[in-house]
Amino acid sequence: QKQEGSSFLCCEVLQGSVRPMSSATENPPSACPYHKPADAAAAEQVDPRNMMPKFSQDASKDQKQELSKNREVSTIPKTGETDNWVYPSSQMFYHALKKKSKTVDEEDVDDVVRVHNWTNEESWRKVMEWEKMHEKTCPNPTLDRFVGLSEDLSTKGWLSAKFGRLGAPFDRHDWYVDRCGKRVRYVIDYYDDPTAGNVMDVTIDARPASDNFGGIWDRLRKPFAG
């Protein structure tokens, strides 16, 4: 089923998960978002809610095979809209990879998209585990926007890189959740982890940002919240 609307596209192409596909995907895109170009006209086409341009559903001139144009609707509610965030099609994702000068076999793009979508769903599930502590005052939080910060280690990510079993995270995102009118920032680190116990061998560490009292208080009381 084809869907319209803003794409939930922020390059969670998981390094550990894509590695078995082929040599072409052993170095998948992890630096997200797509940075605004210097050209002002091109910059206007970048969606500020996911920091990505709108990609076409038309095939690229150098494509050798047809890619799916179907777009999956996520389970993640979008702030200010009645519909949920919509994931990109394989065709749109292929354009995104080309825009970032990344190489991927066309036959692998469907698998890359599945990894991307799974990771976003798991990230939202992790966020909602925290949001359960606020369900009496806000039963239906929504996702307002998100940004990729793969080159900017969080404090916890830095500590893991220096002393942790998992080493440095291969990606980081900040998600901005609308808690019924209150914006809350979550920091999400992604680690390769063969012991994670999921099909992707990825550990997702999502938690409220600790730059405000509310986030710190949630971190302190979460172990006792049930």
Side-chain angles (χ1 to χ4, degrees):
Q1 182 181 4
K2 295 180 182 179
Q3 298 288 339
E4 300 300 328
S6 298
S7 291
F8 197 139
L9 176 58
C10 202
C11 302
E12 289 111 335
V13 183
L14 308 184
Q15 189 170 19
S17 303
V18 180
R19 188 176 298 122
M21 292 181 188
S22 74
S23 59
T25 54
E26 286 180 2
N27 294 295
S30 59
C32 183
Y34 169 75
H35 296 286
K36 288 186 178 181
D39 180 75
E44 291 178 357
Q45 301 176 13
V46 175
D47 186 344
R49 299 184 74 172
N50 64 2
M51 294 304 296
M52 296 292 291
K54 184 176 180 179
F55 292 106
S56 170
Q57 290 275 42
D58 297 329
S60 177
K61 291 182 179 179
D62 61 350
Q63 270 184 236
K64 297 179 176 60
Q65 67 182 60
E66 185 176 354
L67 296 174
S68 172
K69 296 179 174 60
N70 293 329
R71 302 181 63 187
E72 178 183 344
V73 179
S74 78
T75 64
I76 305 171
K78 188 175 185 180
T79 301
E81 299 189 15
T82 56
D83 297 327
N84 291 356
W85 285 88
V86 182
Y87 293 124
S89 67
S90 294
Q91 182 62 69
M92 297 168 74
F93 212 107
Y94 181 78
H95 286 308
L97 296 176
K98 296 285 285 186
K99 176 71 78 171
K100 291 169 67 64
S101 301
K102 299 295 181 179
T103 301
V104 62
D105 286 346
E106 293 169 23
E107 62 185 19
D108 289 336
V109 176
D110 285 347
D111 289 332
V112 173
V113 170
R114 278 193 289 272
V115 171
H116 170 272
N117 297 358
W118 177 91
T119 309
N120 280 299
E121 293 295 323
E122 283 296 297
S123 298
W124 182 247
R125 186 180 66 81
K126 296 282 188 179
V127 167
M128 289 300 293
E129 289 177 0
W130 292 91
E131 286 297 306
K132 283 182 180 179
M133 294 189 292
H134 302 276
E135 62 183 353
K136 289 184 178 179
T137 57
C138 184
N140 299 302
T142 59
L143 180 62
D144 181 39
R145 68 183 185 91
F146 50 93
V147 61
L149 298 167
S150 63
E151 298 179 0
D152 186 6
L153 284 178
S154 65
T155 300
K156 195 172 181 181
W158 181 87
L159 288 171
S160 179
K162 294 294 184 180
F163 311 109
R165 174 181 65 85
L166 297 177
F170 63 79
D171 204 359
R172 169 193 168 181
H173 288 174
D174 282 13
W175 286 19
Y176 294 82
V177 172
D178 187 312
R179 188 184 291 157
C180 297
K182 180 180 180 180
R183 176 179 283 189
V184 181
R185 180 168 68 95
Y186 280 85
V187 178
I188 309 175
D189 289 324
Y190 301 90
Y191 297 88
D192 284 320
D193 183 5
T195 67
N198 57 55
V199 295
M200 300 299 177
D201 288 342
V202 169
T203 286
I204 301 173
D205 182 10
R207 68 275 186 196
S210 59
D211 57 358
N212 62 86
F213 177 77
I216 295 172
W217 177 239
D218 278 356
R219 287 192 185 198
L220 290 173
R221 67 193 183 104
K222 175 81 161 50
F224 309 101

